[in-house]
Amino acid sequence: MAVYAFIFPGQGSQSVGMGQELAEAFPAARSVFEEVDDALGEKLSKIIFEGPMESLTSTENAQPALMAVSMAVLRVLEQDGGLDLAGKVTLLAGHSLGEYSALAAGRAFGVAEAARLLRLRGQAMQKAVPAGEGGMAALIGVTLVQAEDICTKASAKGDVEIANDNGGGQIVISGKSAGIDEAIAIAKEMKIKRALKLPVSAPFHSSLMKPAEDVMAEALAKAEITAPIVPVIANVTAERETDADTIRQNLVRQVTGRVRWRESVAAMVGMGVDTFVEIGAGKVLSGLVRRIDSEVTGLSVGTPADIESFLKTL
């Protein structure tokens, strides 16, 4: 018997039209998009289904949009497929904003609350640093030690930190624009396989996001959060969490903290998980999982056909 973890994608997995086939095929999926539209007081679903891509990629839209697609998939699995989440799934986890999707999946808060929090989170992260002052870069074919060394040296030109330890030799760094440029130059000198600037508008998961962390601390203090029905692995600790107050604190810390994805996957494997199922848009996380541990199975479930195939394996 497979031991399942459901994992939820983060920013970068969005594409125009994601979830549309689901919404057309299943009333359960449609109801999720309607719930998100109502919570935000606007037709985010129109941007998700029709674009333009520029609007969908905007942080304040991408974050609730990706959560909406993940929750639409999950609701179809549960309502139409008869999936018993707590009975079948051992752990939940998500990458950055995906942690909110994981918590919504685990009923720690509702879809509407997740949408409102993610809209605020996206806006606060966008406003935290003036445009052009910060950025991010991906380092490919690098160890954690090498990446930390690059950040230390590059910080002479402007603070740079590790934002995401994604595993499989992929590390994302974040910080001041001048520091990012210097880090790319140092990585090239070190003959790192690839070092490239990412098309993002702010230095996410770095100390420069402190103003956004303060905004989320205030919002999360007021949010109603309960213990999830399935334990969630937190980004900032890579540990299994069920306590509502700890979850609240971790979500605040997550704004400036490192996404410990490699450690999170290793922790889940250590707890017996052998099958990771990416719920929602894209296949980024299932690919990373297989690079982190070639012994595990990584699946992605985001379309009606994917749902049909997955339900047959249960």
Side-chain angles (χ1 to χ4, degrees), residues 200-252:
V200 296
S201 48
F204 304 134
H205 297 291
S206 75
S207 53
L208 296 174
M209 288 284 114
K210 185 67 173 71
E213 183 179 89
D214 295 341
V215 169
M216 292 313 296
E218 190 179 331
L220 286 159
K222 297 173 191 163
E224 193 176 323
I225 301 176
T226 57
I229 60 170
V230 177
V232 176
I233 303 291
N235 280 187
V236 292
T237 62
E239 291 174 4
R240 179 181 182 276
E241 304 291 2
T242 53
D243 177 72
D245 286 333
T246 305
I247 287 167
R248 194 187 308 271
Q249 290 158 20
N250 285 340
L251 288 176
V252 174

Side-chain angles (χ1 to χ4, degrees), residues 2-296:
V3 179
Y4 291 105
F6 276 13
I7 55 177
F8 298 84
Q11 218 162 321
S13 290
Q14 68 273 5
S15 61
V16 172
M18 62 182 184
Q20 187 168 10
E21 204 183 344
L22 276 176
E24 289 167 355
F26 299 102
R30 251 190 331 275
S31 72
V32 172
F33 291 110
E34 286 165 4
E35 198 175 336
V36 169
D37 287 348
D38 289 346
L40 300 179
E42 67 174 83
K43 281 273 192 186
L44 180 64
S45 58
K46 188 171 173 21
I47 295 172
I48 296 171
F49 300 154
E50 299 174 20
M53 187 62 176
E54 188 183 348
S55 298
L56 180 59
T57 301
S58 167
T59 302
E60 64 177 322
N61 289 331
Q63 296 198 24
L66 284 160
M67 180 278 301
V69 175
S70 288
M71 292 307 297
V73 173
L74 185 72
R75 202 167 281 181
V76 171
L77 284 170
E78 291 180 315
Q79 291 188 11
D80 295 83
L83 174 76
D84 171 15
L85 188 77
K88 273 285 181 193
V89 179
T90 302
L91 293 162
L92 303 169
H95 193 284
S96 190
L97 81 90
E99 189 167 342
Y100 285 77
S101 306
L103 288 162
R107 318 288 200 272
F109 42 65
V111 167
E113 182 79 288
R116 287 189 290 266
L117 286 169
L118 285 170
R119 165 56 58 85
L120 182 65
R121 183 177 181 267
Q123 290 171 336
M125 290 168 93
Q126 196 63 62
K127 288 177 189 164
V129 178
E133 286 190 16
M136 301 178 81
L139 305 177
I140 313 291
V142 70
T143 66
L144 188 61
V145 171
Q146 285 174 319
E148 283 171 343
D149 185 39
I150 289 167
C151 288
T152 301
K153 289 173 178 169
S155 289
K157 295 281 179 76
D159 292 344
V160 184
E161 302 157 53
I162 292 174
N164 307 341
D165 176 9
N166 283 335
Q170 184 192 112
I171 289 176
V172 175
I173 59 173
S174 183
K176 293 276 182 72
S177 292
I180 293 292
D181 290 340
E182 181 70 3
I184 290 171
I186 292 166
K188 285 176 179 168
E189 283 168 22
M190 289 172 62
K191 302 288 192 287
I192 298 301
K193 188 176 173 185
R194 280 184 82 196
L196 63 154
K197 205 176 257 193
L198 295 176
V200 296
S201 48
F204 304 134
H205 297 291
S206 75
S207 53
L208 296 174
M209 288 284 114
K210 185 67 173 71
E213 183 179 89
D214 295 341
V215 169
M216 292 313 296
E218 190 179 331
L220 286 159
K222 297 173 191 163
E224 193 176 323
I225 301 176
T226 57
I229 60 170
V230 177
V232 176
I233 303 291
N235 280 187
V236 292
T237 62
E239 291 174 4
R240 179 181 182 276
E241 304 291 2
T242 53
D243 177 72
D245 286 333
T246 305
I247 287 167
R248 194 187 308 271
Q249 290 158 20
N250 285 340
L251 288 176
V252 174
R253 289 172 57 204
Q254 194 224 53
V255 178
T256 57
R258 182 184 301 181
V259 176
R260 299 179 180 272
W261 189 251
R262 176 183 56 83
E263 294 168 73
S264 296
V265 171
M268 288 185 270
V269 172
M271 293 175 209
V273 171
D274 57 22
T275 305
F276 291 80
V277 186
E278 185 170 9
I279 301 291
K283 301 181 178 184
V284 173
L285 295 186
S286 46
L288 282 176
V289 162
R290 289 192 295 268
R291 285 207 288 278
I292 292 166
D293 189 328
S294 60
E295 300 293 306
V296 302

